[in-house]
C-alpha cells in the first residue's frame, strides 16, 4: 500500500545552507561523448497512486498544484487539461525527494512555489528532508536541506498542508514538522529555516509505538498552519495564525502576534486528530476535520467542528452525528471562496460501500451527502461516474450492491474547490484524481458528472518490464495495480491484468521463441485470494491462474525459450519448476531460496540463477542447478541479470559493475566502465549485428541512463539532468523492434520510455 522503497546507500547532511538541486550536466568524457538527443514520455496508464493534496493559487486563476506520496509534484496545464511533472530532475541520491509531504503556492508572487520533500522519517530514507523553492512555477528548483526527515509516504500524509506562505508577507513561510521537531519558519522565502522555539507542543501521537521498523512509531507532529489574512497588511506578516497538532488532548493552537507566542485555543474539542484546518475568511469561521487515526487508510470515527473566531465559540457541525452511521473519520476539508458559508468534507476512511462526500451551504448547520441510502441495497446518488478516459478504474470488478464500480473513491484526503470557479472540484483517491466542473448542480438537486482529472500524473511503482519481439510492445509489472499490456504506448489500457488478480506483480517473462506465452507472479494487496501466478497464451491479452507451490508468493519467474516449462523462485519458499503451465510444481535442486532466476533465450532446457555472489546453471529445465565456478561476481547488493535473445549462453550481469558470460555462466568477464544497476537489450543499431544494450548506472562518475551499440565497449548517456526520475534501478529493456527505444522503471513516476529524437 504505497510503501515502495528503493535501497540506496547515501549520506544525509544536516546543514541548512541553500544549494542547487540540479546542475548542468558534466562535460562529456570519452565514454559519454556524442550523446544523442532523446525524447522521453510516459507509457500512458492514467494515475495509479495516492494523491493526498491539491493547492490552488489564491491570486491567479487556473494555477494549481498536486502532490503525491512517492511520485513527485505536478502543475496543472489548463489549456492542455493535463498535469506537468515538476520533479523529474531529482537524481538517484536524492530519491527521497519524490515523496512530497506538502506543497505551497505563493499567493503574492504566483511564480513562486515551494515543496517540502522527503519520503520516510525512518531509516528507509537515509537522507533528511528538504524544502524546495522555485521562482518559475516548478520548472527549476533550489533546495535547503533540513536537520530532520519528512514523510511524504508516512502515516498522516493526507493531513495538512504542513507548508504555507504568509499571504501578506510572502517571504515568511511556516513548516509543520514530524518526529517531535515542532514548528519551523523561514523569513527569507525558504532559503534558511529556524525552529519556532515558542511553539509549545510538537505533538505526541504515534500510530503504533511497537512498530520496530519505525514506519508507524514516529510522531505525526505539526500537520497544518492556517493564516487569518485580515490580521495583516501587504508587506507585513499576518498576526493571527492557527496550527494543528497530532495530539488527542490539545490539537489546535493560535498565535496573535505573528508567530512570536502560541497558546491552545480555549474550548477546543479533544479526543481526535485534526486532519485539516480551513478558515472561511468571509465568515470568520475556522473549520476542523478530525479522525481517530492519522490515515490515509484507517479511521473509525471523527468529528467536524466550527470555531467562530470572533466570539471563540466552538460548534460541533459533524455531518453524521455520534451514534449514527459514523464509522469513518473526516478529512478533505475545503470551502467555497466565492460563496461564503459553503463547506465540504469527506468521510475519507469510509471503504464500504464507498467513500462519502458532504456539502453544506449554511456553514455546517445542515449537510447533504453525495449519496444516501434508498431501499437497501440501493443507493441514491447525486452524481454519475464517467471513467471512459481511464476505463481500468472499474478494476474489472462486478461487486454486489450496495458496492458499485467505479467507486466514488477511497483515501479521499485531498479535496479542493477552485477559489475562482465554484463549479470545479478536485479530489484525490488511492488510485487517481477525480473531479467535476458541475459542482453547483449539487445545490439545485441536479445530477453532476465526476470523471478523472489525472492525465499526466503517472504514479506507479514499476517492478518489471518486458518487450516481446511480437505482439504488444510492452507489458509491465507494477506495485498495487498489477500491471498492463500496452498495445499503444500513447493510450490508457482498458484494464490491468486480471484472472488471476493480484495487486503487485513482482516479475513477468515471455517465451523468447513463442512470445505469445507469458507468465507473471506477485503478491496480494489487501485480502486477495487468487493464486499468485498467471499464464497467458495470447501475449498477455487474457490470463488464467496456475497453482502455487506451497503458498508461494512474489519473487522472480522465468519461461523456457519455447514456453514448455517454467521456473519460479518465490520470496517465501525454495525454487520450483513446472513442466507445462504450472499445474504441478517440483522443488529444484542445487539452488538456494531467494535466488533470482532467468531463462536462456534460445535453449529451452537452460535456466540460470544468481544468489550472494554465486551463479547457478540448469541444463535440465530447472530440475537441478549447479553452482558455476565463476569468480568475482558481487556478493552483496542488488544484482540483476539477463540472457541475450538469439544467442545461447550469452548472459549479462549487473550489480555495481557489469559482467558478461558467453559460455552459459561458466565464466564471466568484467565489461567496460559502467557501474550498472540493471541491463536490457533492444534492436541493434543500423548496420550492427548485436543487440543495443541499455542500463541505468554510472560511467566515470556520471549517473544516467546509458546505451551501448558496440557490445559494451563504450556507453553513451541518453538522458539529461532534467530527466533523471530518481530511482531507476529495478527494470530496463530496449524494444526488439525499434532501434533506440528504451523502457525504464521508476519508483513512482510510472513507465518511462525514450526514443531517439
Amino acid at each position: 500500500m504505497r510503501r515502495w522503497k528503493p535501497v540506496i546507500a547515501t549520506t544525509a547532511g544536516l546543514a541548512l545552507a541553500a544549494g542547487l538541486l540540479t546542475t548542468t550536466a558534466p562535460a562529456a568524457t570519452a565514454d559519454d561523448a556524442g550523446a544523442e538527443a532523446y525524447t522521453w514520455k510516459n507509457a500512458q496508464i492514467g494515475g495509479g497512486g495516492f494523491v493526498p493534496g491539491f493547492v490552488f493559487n489564491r491570486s491567479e486563476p487556473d494555477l494549481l498544484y498536486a502532490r503525491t506520496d512517492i511520485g513527485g509534484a505536478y502543475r496543472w496545464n489548463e489549456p492542455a487539461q493535463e498535469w506537468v511533472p515538476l520533479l523529474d530532475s531529482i537524481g538517484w541520491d536524492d530519491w527521497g525527494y519524490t515523496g512530497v509531504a506538502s506543497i505551497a503556492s505563493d499567493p503574492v508572487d504566483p511564480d513562486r512555489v515551494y515543496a517540502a520533500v522527503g519520503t520516510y522519517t525512518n531509516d528507509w530514507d537515509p537522507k533528511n528532508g528538504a524544502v524546495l523553492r522555485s521562482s518559475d512555477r516548478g520548472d527549476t528548483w533550489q533546495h535547503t536541506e533540513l536537520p530532520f526527515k519528512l514523510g511524504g509516504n508516512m502515516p498522516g500524509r493526507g493531513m495538512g498542508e504542513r507548508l504555507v506562505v504568509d499571504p501578506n508577507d510572502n517571504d515568511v513561510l511556516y513548516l509543520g514538522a514530524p518526529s517531535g521537531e515542532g514548528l519551523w519558519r523561514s523569513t527569507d522565502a525558504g532559503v534558511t529555516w529556524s525552529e519556532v522555539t515558542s511553539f509549545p507542543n510538537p505533538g505526541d501521537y504515534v500510530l503504533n509505538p511497537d512498530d520496530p521498523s519505525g514506519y508507524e512509531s514516529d510522531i505525526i507532529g505539526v500537520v497544518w498552519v492556517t493564516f487569518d489574512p485580515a490580521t495583516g497588511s501587504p508587506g507585513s506578516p499576518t498576526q493571527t495564525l492557527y496550527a494543528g497538532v497530532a495530539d488527542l488532548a490539545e490539537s489546535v493552537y493560535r498565535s496573535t502576534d505573528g508567530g512570536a507566542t502560541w497558546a491552545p485555543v480555549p474550548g477546543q474539542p479533544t479526543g481526535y486528530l485534526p486532519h485539516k484546518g480551513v478558515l472561511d475568511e468571509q465568515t470568520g469561521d475556522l473549520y476542523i476535520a478530525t479522525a481517530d487515526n492519522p490515515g490515509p487508510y484507517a479511521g473509525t470515527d471523527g468529528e467536524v467542528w466550527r470555531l467562530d473566531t470572533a466570539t471563540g465559540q466552538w460548534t460541533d457541525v459533524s455531518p453524521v452525528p455520534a451514534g449514527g452511521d459514523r464509522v469513518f473519520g473526516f478529512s478533505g476539508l475545503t470551502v467555497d471562496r466565492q460563496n461564503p458559508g459553503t463547506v465540504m468534507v469527506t468521510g475519507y476512511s469510509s471503504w464500504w460501500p464507498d467513500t462519502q462526500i458532504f456539502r453544506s451551504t449554511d456553514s455546517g448547520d445542515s449537510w447533504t451527502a453525495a449519496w444516501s441510502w434508498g431501499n437497501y441495497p440501493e443507493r441514491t446518488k447525486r452524481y454519475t461516474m464517467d471513467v471512459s478516459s481511464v476505463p481500468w478504474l472499474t478494476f474489472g470488478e462486478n461487486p454486489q450492491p450496495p458496492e458499485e464500480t467505479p467507486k466514488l473513491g477511497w483515501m479521499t484526503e485531498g479535496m479542493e474547490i477552485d477559489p475562482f470557479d465554484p463549479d470545479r472540484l478536485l479530489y484525490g483517491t488511492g488510485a487517481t484524481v477525480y473531479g467535476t466542473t458541475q459542482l453547483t448542480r449539487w445545490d439545485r438537486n441536479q445530477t453532476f458528472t465526476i470523471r478523472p482529472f489525472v492525465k499526466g500524473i503517472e504514479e506507479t511503482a514499476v517492478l518489471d518490464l518486458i518487450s516481446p519481439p511480437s505482439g504488444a510492445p510492452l507489458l509491465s509489472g507494477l506495485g498495487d495495480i498489477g500491471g498492463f499490456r500496452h498495445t499503444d504506448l500513447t493510450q490508457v489500457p482498458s484494464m490491468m491484468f486480471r484472472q488471476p488478480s493480484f495487486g503487485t506483480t513482482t516479475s513477468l517473462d515471455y517465451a523468447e521463441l513463442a512470445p505469445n506465452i507469458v507468465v507473471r507472479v506477485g503478491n496480494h494487496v489487501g485480502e486477495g485470494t487468487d493464486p499468485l501466478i498467471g499464464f497467458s497464451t495470447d501475449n498477455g491479452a487474457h490470463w488464467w491462474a496456475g497453482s502455487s507451490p506451497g503458498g508461494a508468493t512474489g519473487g522472480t519467474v522465468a519461461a523456457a525459450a519455447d514456453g514448455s516449462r517454467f521456473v519460479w523462485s518465490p520470496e517465501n519458499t525454495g525454487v520450483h519448476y513446472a513442466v507445462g503451465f504450472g499445474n504441478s510444481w517440483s522443488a529444484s535442486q542445487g539452488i538456494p531460496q531467494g535466488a533470482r532466476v532467468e531463462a536462456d533465450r534460445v535453449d529451452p532446457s537452460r535456466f540460470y540463477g544468481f544468489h550472494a555472489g554465486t551463479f547457478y546453471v540448469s541444463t535440465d529445465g530447472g530440475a537441478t542447478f549447479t553452482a558455476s565456478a565463476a569468480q568475482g561476481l558481487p556478493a552483496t547488493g542488488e544484482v540483476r541479470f539477463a540472457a541475450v535473445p538469439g544467442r545461447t549462453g550469452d548472459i549479462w550481469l549487473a550489480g555495481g559493475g557489469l559482467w558478461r558470460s558467453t559460455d552459459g555462466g561458466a565464466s564471466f568477464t568484467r565489461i567496460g566502465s559502467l557501474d550498472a544497476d540493471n541491463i536490457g537489450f533492444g534492436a541493434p543499431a543500423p548496420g550492427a549485428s548485436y543487440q543495443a544494450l541499455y542500463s541505468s548506472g554510472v560511467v566515470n562518475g556520471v549517473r544516467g541512463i546509458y546505451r551501448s551499440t558496440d557490445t559494451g565497449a563504450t556507453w553513451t548517456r541518453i538522458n539529461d539532468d532534467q530527466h533523471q526520475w530518481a530511482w531507476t534501478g529495478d527494470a530496463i529493456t530496449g524494444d526488439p523492434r525499434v532501434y533506440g527505444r528504451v523502457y525504464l522503471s521508476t519508483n513512482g513516476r510510472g513507465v518511462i520510455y525514450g526514443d531517439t529524437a
Side-chain angles (χ1 to χ4, degrees):
M1 300 286 282
R2 317 305 307 159
R3 294 185 190 177
W4 306 105
K5 57 181 192 300
V7 180
I8 308 171
T10 59
T11 301
L14 298 180
L16 285 176
L20 291 176
L21 176 63
T22 59
T23 58
T24 304
T29 66
D31 272 343
D32 60 15
E36 290 187 46
Y38 254 68
T39 58
W40 297 98
K41 300 177 182 178
N42 272 103
Q44 293 297 298
I45 293 172
F50 180 39
V51 183
F54 305 92
V55 172
F56 281 93
N57 186 273
R58 293 289 301 277
S59 59
E60 181 178 313
D62 298 325
L63 181 55
L64 165 65
Y65 296 90
R67 61 180 173 96
T68 68
D69 53 4
I70 65 170
Y74 296 80
R75 183 184 67 239
W76 179 248
N77 180 344
E78 177 67 17
Q81 292 288 290
E82 66 181 8
W83 297 93
V84 178
L86 301 179
L87 298 183
D88 285 356
S89 62
I90 288 176
W92 181 277
D93 290 340
D94 295 326
W95 65 266
Y97 289 0
T98 60
V100 184
S102 191
I103 196 163
S105 181
D106 190 326
V108 179
D109 181 355
D111 287 338
R112 292 187 190 178
V113 62
Y114 303 86
V117 297
T119 303
Y120 300 103
T121 62
N122 61 356
D123 60 8
W124 294 350
D125 187 343
K127 297 194 72 171
N128 283 346
V131 175
L132 311 184
R133 62 188 188 279
S134 173
S135 58
D136 55 13
R137 306 185 182 215
D139 289 341
T140 61
W141 299 89
Q142 292 179 300
H143 84 287
T144 296
E145 191 171 5
L146 298 165
F148 51 84
K149 296 183 178 185
L150 293 174
N153 197 32
M154 294 291 287
R157 59 192 179 274
M159 303 167 84
E161 293 289 320
R162 292 177 182 262
L163 180 66
V164 291
V165 181
D166 190 320
N168 287 301
D169 183 350
N170 64 330
D171 284 337
V172 175
L173 289 84
Y174 285 87
L175 171 65
S179 311
E181 296 290 345
L183 181 66
W184 288 67
R185 177 170 52 210
S186 173
T187 58
D188 55 8
V191 177
T192 61
W193 291 82
S194 59
E195 185 176 5
V196 180
T197 56
S198 62
F199 194 78
N201 183 7
D204 63 1
Y205 180 88
V206 297
L207 179 59
N208 176 13
D210 298 323
D211 177 12
S213 74
Y215 182 76
E216 293 185 341
S217 58
D218 190 40
I219 293 173
I220 302 296
V222 182
V223 294
W224 52 261
V225 178
T226 298
F227 295 95
D228 183 350
T231 62
S233 58
S236 299
T238 301
Q239 294 301 294
T240 299
L241 303 82
Y242 298 88
V245 180
D247 186 308
L248 297 176
E250 288 185 333
S251 62
V252 183
Y253 289 79
R254 178 171 55 201
S255 173
T256 58
D257 52 12
T261 61
W262 296 80
V265 178
Q268 67 179 272
T270 62
Y272 295 100
L273 303 174
H275 276 235
K276 307 282 185 182
V278 178
L279 179 68
D280 187 331
E281 295 153 10
Q282 299 301 310
T283 66
D285 291 325
L286 177 71
Y287 296 94
I288 310 293
T290 72
D292 60 0
N293 187 286
Y297 312 117
T300 59
D301 201 0
E303 297 171 340
V304 180
W305 285 80
R306 182 184 68 214
L307 170 66
D308 185 328
T309 60
T311 66
Q313 180 180 353
W314 287 93
T315 304
D316 184 347
V317 293
S318 302
V320 181
D325 292 329
R326 195 170 76 196
V327 292
F328 47 79
F330 294 100
S331 192
L333 182 67
T334 184
V335 299
D336 185 341
R337 302 294 178 184
Q338 299 293 319
N339 294 287
T342 295
V343 59
M344 297 181 69
V345 72
T346 66
Y348 79 93
S349 53
S350 176
W351 289 78
W352 186 93
D354 211 335
T355 199
Q356 185 59 280
I357 302 176
F358 302 95
R359 180 174 171 91
S360 173
T361 57
D362 56 9
S363 301
D365 288 338
S366 63
W367 298 83
T368 50
W371 60 267
S372 57
W373 291 109
N375 293 323
Y376 189 85
E378 295 178 356
R379 289 192 285 152
T380 301
K381 301 179 296 181
R382 297 178 177 271
Y383 61 90
T384 60
M385 301 289 293
D386 175 8
V387 297
S388 56
S389 62
V390 189
W392 61 260
L393 284 168
T394 66
F395 284 75
E397 296 177 350
N398 186 27
Q400 293 296 311
E403 288 192 280
E404 298 178 356
T405 188
K407 279 194 165 190
L408 183 60
W410 59 92
M411 297 162 59
T412 49
E413 293 237 58
M415 181 174 69
E416 293 292 335
I417 301 171
D418 186 337
F420 294 93
D421 182 0
D423 270 317
R424 177 156 67 171
L425 173 82
L426 294 179
Y427 67 94
T429 78
T432 192
V433 177
Y434 278 132
T436 183
T437 56
Q438 304 169 328
L439 181 59
T440 58
R441 290 189 179 188
W442 184 315
D443 304 326
R444 300 189 294 273
N445 291 318
Q446 297 174 348
T447 302
F448 57 93
T449 300
I450 293 174
R451 58 185 176 87
F453 281 78
V454 76
K455 185 179 180 182
I457 295 181
E458 295 290 346
E459 193 199 359
T460 52
V462 184
L463 305 181
D464 204 4
L465 298 168
I466 58 174
S467 182
S470 62
L474 179 68
L475 283 77
S476 57
L478 306 179
D480 290 350
I481 58 172
F484 292 90
R485 178 179 187 261
H486 270 91
T487 58
D488 184 339
L489 301 173
T490 67
Q491 299 296 316
V492 175
S494 60
M495 191 54 56
M496 69 275 287
F497 299 143
R498 300 283 299 174
Q499 296 177 336
S501 176
F502 42 88
T504 292
T505 297
T506 58
S507 178
L508 65 166
D509 195 16
Y510 65 93
E512 187 69 43
L513 306 181
N516 279 342
I517 297 176
V518 189
V519 60
R520 60 184 168 93
V521 296
N523 297 307
H524 287 301
V525 176
E527 299 178 353
T529 58
D530 282 7
L532 291 170
I533 184 167
F535 296 95
S536 172
T537 54
D538 59 5
N539 195 241
H542 302 88
W543 298 84
W544 76 90
S547 63
S548 298
T553 64
T556 56
V557 69
D562 63 356
S564 61
R565 58 179 61 216
F566 303 87
V567 173
W568 184 6
S569 178
E571 63 189 29
N572 63 334
T573 189
V575 179
H576 283 69
Y577 73 98
V579 178
F581 293 106
N583 293 320
S584 177
W585 294 88
S586 301
S588 300
Q589 302 300 311
I591 186 171
Q593 179 176 335
R596 187 178 189 91
V597 295
E598 299 284 354
D600 191 89
R601 310 313 288 181
V602 177
D603 184 349
S605 66
R606 294 183 70 89
F607 288 84
Y608 307 110
F610 183 85
H611 181 74
T614 300
F615 198 81
Y616 297 86
V617 180
S618 173
T619 58
D620 58 4
T624 61
F625 284 79
T626 301
S628 165
Q631 300 294 311
L633 299 178
T636 60
E638 296 286 325
V639 176
R640 296 168 177 84
F641 71 95
V644 180
R647 299 174 183 268
T648 303
D650 194 344
I651 305 157
W652 293 75
L653 185 144
L658 185 63
W659 292 260
R660 183 189 181 194
S661 174
T662 56
D663 56 11
S667 63
F668 281 83
T669 302
R670 181 76 181 258
I671 298 294
S673 59
L674 177 67
D675 290 334
D677 310 311
N678 47 32
I679 189 70
F681 315 107
S689 60
Y690 198 86
Q691 282 86 348
L693 306 178
Y694 298 92
S695 180
S696 164
V698 179
V699 174
N700 295 331
V702 181
R703 171 161 285 286
I705 307 301
Y706 285 90
R707 186 190 69 207
S708 174
T709 58
D710 55 9
T711 323
T714 61
W715 294 87
T716 298
R717 188 185 182 201
I718 57 175
N719 70 321
D720 56 59
D721 283 359
Q722 296 307 307
H723 300 88
Q724 299 194 76
W725 312 288
W727 167 257
T728 52
D730 266 326
I732 193 168
T733 184
D735 190 308
R737 290 168 277 184
V738 182
Y739 166 67
R741 177 170 292 174
V742 59
Y743 307 98
L744 58 107
S745 65
T746 72
N747 187 58
R749 272 286 287 123
V751 180
I752 301 291
Y753 73 97
D755 284 308
T756 57

